[in-house]
Amino acid sequence: QVQLVESGGGLVQAGGSLRLSCAASGRTISTNGMGWFRQAPGKEREFVAAISWSGSSSYYADSVKGRFTISRDNAKNAVYLQMNSLKPEDTAMYFCARATRAYFVDQVYYTRESFYDGWGQGTQVAVSS
């Protein structure tokens, strides 16, 4: 069983940056794709970004494309989400998740929660206007 722990959230002004980290323990994540999702108050959890096992491929929701960057360090068993040019609408609880696949041949495999089998508890991001 893999344990995922997110960190790096906080309160930031619009236009600012945050870097989220996801540390895995219990099992290696180096052979799994990984993803970040978020859930705003009163809304369903939504896909943000995903990365293949090697880090060679990454995918983003349209709402964050060009502003967020997902990366990973398999030696450290960790995944990161660099968030720049933050907007108030980015305010949410952010979760990292372990994918059931190493890489994604179709967007359904990285956007749907059912294709992830391990989740962290989340880290809160709040962006003030």
mmCIF file with all atom_site columns, all heavy atoms in Angstrom, residues 110-123:
data_model
loop_
_atom_site.group_PDB
_atom_site.id
_atom_site.type_symbol
_atom_site.label_atom_id
_atom_site.label_alt_id
_atom_site.label_comp_id
_atom_site.label_asym_id
_atom_site.label_entity_id
_atom_site.label_seq_id
_atom_site.pdbx_PDB_ins_code
_atom_site.Cartn_x
_atom_site.Cartn_y
_atom_site.Cartn_z
_atom_site.occupancy
_atom_site.B_iso_or_equiv
_atom_site.pdbx_formal_charge
_atom_site.auth_seq_id
_atom_site.auth_comp_id
_atom_site.auth_asym_id
_atom_site.auth_atom_id
_atom_site.pdbx_PDB_model_num
ATOM 1   N N   . TYR A 1 110 ? -5.872  9.418  -17.752 1.00 0.00 ? 110 TYR A N   1
ATOM 2   C CA  . TYR A 1 110 ? -5.280  10.343 -16.799 1.00 0.00 ? 110 TYR A CA  1
ATOM 3   C C   . TYR A 1 110 ? -6.264  11.356 -16.253 1.00 0.00 ? 110 TYR A C   1
ATOM 4   O O   . TYR A 1 110 ? -5.981  12.016 -15.273 1.00 0.00 ? 110 TYR A O   1
ATOM 5   C CB  . TYR A 1 110 ? -4.056  11.063 -17.377 1.00 0.00 ? 110 TYR A CB  1
ATOM 6   C CG  . TYR A 1 110 ? -4.263  11.892 -18.628 1.00 0.00 ? 110 TYR A CG  1
ATOM 7   C CD1 . TYR A 1 110 ? -4.765  13.183 -18.561 1.00 0.00 ? 110 TYR A CD1 1
ATOM 8   C CD2 . TYR A 1 110 ? -3.886  11.394 -19.873 1.00 0.00 ? 110 TYR A CD2 1
ATOM 9   C CE1 . TYR A 1 110 ? -4.916  13.949 -19.703 1.00 0.00 ? 110 TYR A CE1 1
ATOM 10  C CE2 . TYR A 1 110 ? -4.037  12.162 -21.014 1.00 0.00 ? 110 TYR A CE2 1
ATOM 11  C CZ  . TYR A 1 110 ? -4.555  13.431 -20.929 1.00 0.00 ? 110 TYR A CZ  1
ATOM 12  O OH  . TYR A 1 110 ? -4.704  14.198 -22.060 1.00 0.00 ? 110 TYR A OH  1
ATOM 13  N N   . THR A 1 111 ? -7.440  11.453 -16.834 1.00 0.00 ? 111 THR A N   1
ATOM 14  C CA  . THR A 1 111 ? -8.425  12.404 -16.328 1.00 0.00 ? 111 THR A CA  1
ATOM 15  C C   . THR A 1 111 ? -9.448  11.785 -15.384 1.00 0.00 ? 111 THR A C   1
ATOM 16  O O   . THR A 1 111 ? -10.042 12.494 -14.579 1.00 0.00 ? 111 THR A O   1
ATOM 17  C CB  . THR A 1 111 ? -9.182  13.092 -17.472 1.00 0.00 ? 111 THR A CB  1
ATOM 18  O OG1 . THR A 1 111 ? -9.824  12.100 -18.282 1.00 0.00 ? 111 THR A OG1 1
ATOM 19  C CG2 . THR A 1 111 ? -8.229  13.918 -18.332 1.00 0.00 ? 111 THR A CG2 1
ATOM 20  N N   . ARG A 1 112 ? -9.648  10.485 -15.467 1.00 0.00 ? 112 ARG A N   1
ATOM 21  C CA  . ARG A 1 112 ? -10.686 9.850  -14.644 1.00 0.00 ? 112 ARG A CA  1
ATOM 22  C C   . ARG A 1 112 ? -10.118 9.310  -13.345 1.00 0.00 ? 112 ARG A C   1
ATOM 23  O O   . ARG A 1 112 ? -9.128  8.580  -13.337 1.00 0.00 ? 112 ARG A O   1
ATOM 24  C CB  . ARG A 1 112 ? -11.355 8.717  -15.412 1.00 0.00 ? 112 ARG A CB  1
ATOM 25  C CG  . ARG A 1 112 ? -12.233 9.206  -16.541 1.00 0.00 ? 112 ARG A CG  1
ATOM 26  C CD  . ARG A 1 112 ? -13.069 8.095  -17.101 1.00 0.00 ? 112 ARG A CD  1
ATOM 27  N NE  . ARG A 1 112 ? -13.854 8.518  -18.260 1.00 0.00 ? 112 ARG A NE  1
ATOM 28  C CZ  . ARG A 1 112 ? -14.603 7.707  -18.989 1.00 0.00 ? 112 ARG A CZ  1
ATOM 29  N NH1 . ARG A 1 112 ? -14.702 6.429  -18.667 1.00 0.00 ? 112 ARG A NH1 1
ATOM 30  N NH2 . ARG A 1 112 ? -15.263 8.181  -20.027 1.00 0.00 ? 112 ARG A NH2 1
ATOM 31  N N   . GLU A 1 113 ? -10.782 9.595  -12.244 1.00 0.00 ? 113 GLU A N   1
ATOM 32  C CA  . GLU A 1 113 ? -10.316 9.157  -10.934 1.00 0.00 ? 113 GLU A CA  1
ATOM 33  C C   . GLU A 1 113 ? -10.261 7.637  -10.808 1.00 0.00 ? 113 GLU A C   1
ATOM 34  O O   . GLU A 1 113 ? -9.472  7.105  -10.040 1.00 0.00 ? 113 GLU A O   1
ATOM 35  C CB  . GLU A 1 113 ? -11.225 9.729  -9.853  1.00 0.00 ? 113 GLU A CB  1
ATOM 36  C CG  . GLU A 1 113 ? -11.152 11.233 -9.715  1.00 0.00 ? 113 GLU A CG  1
ATOM 37  C CD  . GLU A 1 113 ? -12.000 11.730 -8.570  1.00 0.00 ? 113 GLU A CD  1
ATOM 38  O OE1 . GLU A 1 113 ? -12.110 11.030 -7.549  1.00 0.00 ? 113 GLU A OE1 1
ATOM 39  O OE2 . GLU A 1 113 ? -12.560 12.832 -8.696  1.00 0.00 ? 113 GLU A OE2 1
ATOM 40  N N   . SER A 1 114 ? -11.098 6.952  -11.563 1.00 0.00 ? 114 SER A N   1
ATOM 41  C CA  . SER A 1 114 ? -11.155 5.493  -11.449 1.00 0.00 ? 114 SER A CA  1
ATOM 42  C C   . SER A 1 114 ? -9.871  4.819  -11.911 1.00 0.00 ? 114 SER A C   1
ATOM 43  O O   . SER A 1 114 ? -9.650  3.641  -11.622 1.00 0.00 ? 114 SER A O   1
ATOM 44  C CB  . SER A 1 114 ? -12.348 4.947  -12.230 1.00 0.00 ? 114 SER A CB  1
ATOM 45  O OG  . SER A 1 114 ? -12.295 5.359  -13.589 1.00 0.00 ? 114 SER A OG  1
ATOM 46  N N   . PHE A 1 115 ? -9.019  5.557  -12.628 1.00 0.00 ? 115 PHE A N   1
ATOM 47  C CA  . PHE A 1 115 ? -7.755  4.990  -13.077 1.00 0.00 ? 115 PHE A CA  1
ATOM 48  C C   . PHE A 1 115 ? -6.607  5.354  -12.133 1.00 0.00 ? 115 PHE A C   1
ATOM 49  O O   . PHE A 1 115 ? -5.440  5.253  -12.506 1.00 0.00 ? 115 PHE A O   1
ATOM 50  C CB  . PHE A 1 115 ? -7.460  5.434  -14.506 1.00 0.00 ? 115 PHE A CB  1
ATOM 51  C CG  . PHE A 1 115 ? -8.364  4.791  -15.520 1.00 0.00 ? 115 PHE A CG  1
ATOM 52  C CD1 . PHE A 1 115 ? -9.398  5.505  -16.087 1.00 0.00 ? 115 PHE A CD1 1
ATOM 53  C CD2 . PHE A 1 115 ? -8.198  3.462  -15.886 1.00 0.00 ? 115 PHE A CD2 1
ATOM 54  C CE1 . PHE A 1 115 ? -10.256 4.915  -17.016 1.00 0.00 ? 115 PHE A CE1 1
ATOM 55  C CE2 . PHE A 1 115 ? -9.036  2.864  -16.811 1.00 0.00 ? 115 PHE A CE2 1
ATOM 56  C CZ  . PHE A 1 115 ? -10.065 3.591  -17.375 1.00 0.00 ? 115 PHE A CZ  1
ATOM 57  N N   . TYR A 1 116 ? -6.938  5.775  -10.928 1.00 0.00 ? 116 TYR A N   1
ATOM 58  C CA  . TYR A 1 116 ? -5.950  6.051  -9.885  1.00 0.00 ? 116 TYR A CA  1
ATOM 59  C C   . TYR A 1 116 ? -6.297  5.201  -8.659  1.00 0.00 ? 116 TYR A C   1
ATOM 60  O O   . TYR A 1 116 ? -7.467  5.097  -8.296  1.00 0.00 ? 116 TYR A O   1
ATOM 61  C CB  . TYR A 1 116 ? -5.951  7.533  -9.517  1.00 0.00 ? 116 TYR A CB  1
ATOM 62  C CG  . TYR A 1 116 ? -5.442  8.417  -10.636 1.00 0.00 ? 116 TYR A CG  1
ATOM 63  C CD1 . TYR A 1 116 ? -6.274  8.814  -11.669 1.00 0.00 ? 116 TYR A CD1 1
ATOM 64  C CD2 . TYR A 1 116 ? -4.120  8.845  -10.654 1.00 0.00 ? 116 TYR A CD2 1
ATOM 65  C CE1 . TYR A 1 116 ? -5.805  9.614  -12.703 1.00 0.00 ? 116 TYR A CE1 1
ATOM 66  C CE2 . TYR A 1 116 ? -3.639  9.653  -11.672 1.00 0.00 ? 116 TYR A CE2 1
ATOM 67  C CZ  . TYR A 1 116 ? -4.488  10.036 -12.695 1.00 0.00 ? 116 TYR A CZ  1
ATOM 68  O OH  . TYR A 1 116 ? -4.019  10.823 -13.717 1.00 0.00 ? 116 TYR A OH  1
ATOM 69  N N   . ASP A 1 117 ? -5.296  4.607  -8.046  1.00 0.00 ? 117 ASP A N   1
ATOM 70  C CA  . ASP A 1 117 ? -5.586  3.685  -6.947  1.00 0.00 ? 117 ASP A CA  1
ATOM 71  C C   . ASP A 1 117 ? -4.950  4.083  -5.628  1.00 0.00 ? 117 ASP A C   1
ATOM 72  O O   . ASP A 1 117 ? -4.979  3.309  -4.671  1.00 0.00 ? 117 ASP A O   1
ATOM 73  C CB  . ASP A 1 117 ? -5.174  2.266  -7.316  1.00 0.00 ? 117 ASP A CB  1
ATOM 74  C CG  . ASP A 1 117 ? -3.675  2.125  -7.558  1.00 0.00 ? 117 ASP A CG  1
ATOM 75  O OD1 . ASP A 1 117 ? -2.951  3.146  -7.476  1.00 0.00 ? 117 ASP A OD1 1
ATOM 76  O OD2 . ASP A 1 117 ? -3.232  0.999  -7.840  1.00 0.00 ? 117 ASP A OD2 1
ATOM 77  N N   . GLY A 1 118 ? -4.372  5.248  -5.556  1.00 0.00 ? 118 GLY A N   1
ATOM 78  C CA  . GLY A 1 118 ? -3.813  5.723  -4.296  1.00 0.00 ? 118 GLY A CA  1
ATOM 79  C C   . GLY A 1 118 ? -3.932  7.228  -4.253  1.00 0.00 ? 118 GLY A C   1
ATOM 80  O O   . GLY A 1 118 ? -3.627  7.914  -5.234  1.00 0.00 ? 118 GLY A O   1
ATOM 81  N N   . TRP A 1 119 ? -4.389  7.751  -3.099  1.00 0.00 ? 119 TRP A N   1
ATOM 82  C CA  . TRP A 1 119 ? -4.640  9.188  -2.969  1.00 0.00 ? 119 TRP A CA  1
ATOM 83  C C   . TRP A 1 119 ? -4.052  9.724  -1.678  1.00 0.00 ? 119 TRP A C   1
ATOM 84  O O   . TRP A 1 119 ? -4.053  9.042  -0.649  1.00 0.00 ? 119 TRP A O   1
ATOM 85  C CB  . TRP A 1 119 ? -6.147  9.463  -2.971  1.00 0.00 ? 119 TRP A CB  1
ATOM 86  C CG  . TRP A 1 119 ? -6.801  9.148  -4.266  1.00 0.00 ? 119 TRP A CG  1
ATOM 87  C CD1 . TRP A 1 119 ? -7.234  7.924  -4.688  1.00 0.00 ? 119 TRP A CD1 1
ATOM 88  C CD2 . TRP A 1 119 ? -7.094  10.061 -5.322  1.00 0.00 ? 119 TRP A CD2 1
ATOM 89  N NE1 . TRP A 1 119 ? -7.783  8.015  -5.950  1.00 0.00 ? 119 TRP A NE1 1
ATOM 90  C CE2 . TRP A 1 119 ? -7.716  9.330  -6.355  1.00 0.00 ? 119 TRP A CE2 1
ATOM 91  C CE3 . TRP A 1 119 ? -6.903  11.439 -5.492  1.00 0.00 ? 119 TRP A CE3 1
ATOM 92  C CZ2 . TRP A 1 119 ? -8.130  9.928  -7.550  1.00 0.00 ? 119 TRP A CZ2 1
ATOM 93  C CZ3 . TRP A 1 119 ? -7.322  12.030 -6.672  1.00 0.00 ? 119 TRP A CZ3 1
ATOM 94  C CH2 . TRP A 1 119 ? -7.937  11.272 -7.688  1.00 0.00 ? 119 TRP A CH2 1
ATOM 95  N N   . GLY A 1 120 ? -3.585  10.937 -1.747  1.00 0.00 ? 120 GLY A N   1
ATOM 96  C CA  . GLY A 1 120 ? -3.154  11.619 -0.534  1.00 0.00 ? 120 GLY A CA  1
ATOM 97  C C   . GLY A 1 120 ? -4.324  12.318 0.139   1.00 0.00 ? 120 GLY A C   1
ATOM 98  O O   . GLY A 1 120 ? -5.451  12.277 -0.357  1.00 0.00 ? 120 GLY A O   1
ATOM 99  N N   . GLN A 1 121 ? -4.031  12.963 1.257   1.00 0.00 ? 121 GLN A N   1
ATOM 100 C CA  . GLN A 1 121 ? -5.070  13.656 2.013   1.00 0.00 ? 121 GLN A CA  1
ATOM 101 C C   . GLN A 1 121 ? -5.316  15.075 1.511   1.00 0.00 ? 121 GLN A C   1
ATOM 102 O O   . GLN A 1 121 ? -6.319  15.691 1.876   1.00 0.00 ? 121 GLN A O   1
ATOM 103 C CB  . GLN A 1 121 ? -4.690  13.700 3.492   1.00 0.00 ? 121 GLN A CB  1
ATOM 104 C CG  . GLN A 1 121 ? -4.666  12.326 4.146   1.00 0.00 ? 121 GLN A CG  1
ATOM 105 C CD  . GLN A 1 121 ? -6.012  11.650 4.106   1.00 0.00 ? 121 GLN A CD  1
ATOM 106 O OE1 . GLN A 1 121 ? -7.022  12.215 4.529   1.00 0.00 ? 121 GLN A OE1 1
ATOM 107 N NE2 . GLN A 1 121 ? -6.063  10.433 3.579   1.00 0.00 ? 121 GLN A NE2 1
ATOM 108 N N   . GLY A 1 122 ? -4.406  15.577 0.728   1.00 0.00 ? 122 GLY A N   1
ATOM 109 C CA  . GLY A 1 122 ? -4.592  16.896 0.138   1.00 0.00 ? 122 GLY A CA  1
ATOM 110 C C   . GLY A 1 122 ? -3.848  17.999 0.867   1.00 0.00 ? 122 GLY A C   1
ATOM 111 O O   . GLY A 1 122 ? -3.509  17.882 2.044   1.00 0.00 ? 122 GLY A O   1
ATOM 112 N N   . THR A 1 123 ? -3.604  19.073 0.136   1.00 0.00 ? 123 THR A N   1
ATOM 113 C CA  . THR A 1 123 ? -3.025  20.282 0.698   1.00 0.00 ? 123 THR A CA  1
ATOM 114 C C   . THR A 1 123 ? -3.826  21.468 0.170   1.00 0.00 ? 123 THR A C   1
ATOM 115 O O   . THR A 1 123 ? -4.161  21.519 -1.014  1.00 0.00 ? 123 THR A O   1
ATOM 116 C CB  . THR A 1 123 ? -1.528  20.404 0.354   1.00 0.00 ? 123 THR A CB  1
ATOM 117 O OG1 . THR A 1 123 ? -0.969  21.550 1.009   1.00 0.00 ? 123 THR A OG1 1
ATOM 118 C CG2 . THR A 1 123 ? -1.288  20.533 -1.150  1.00 0.00 ? 123 THR A CG2 1
#
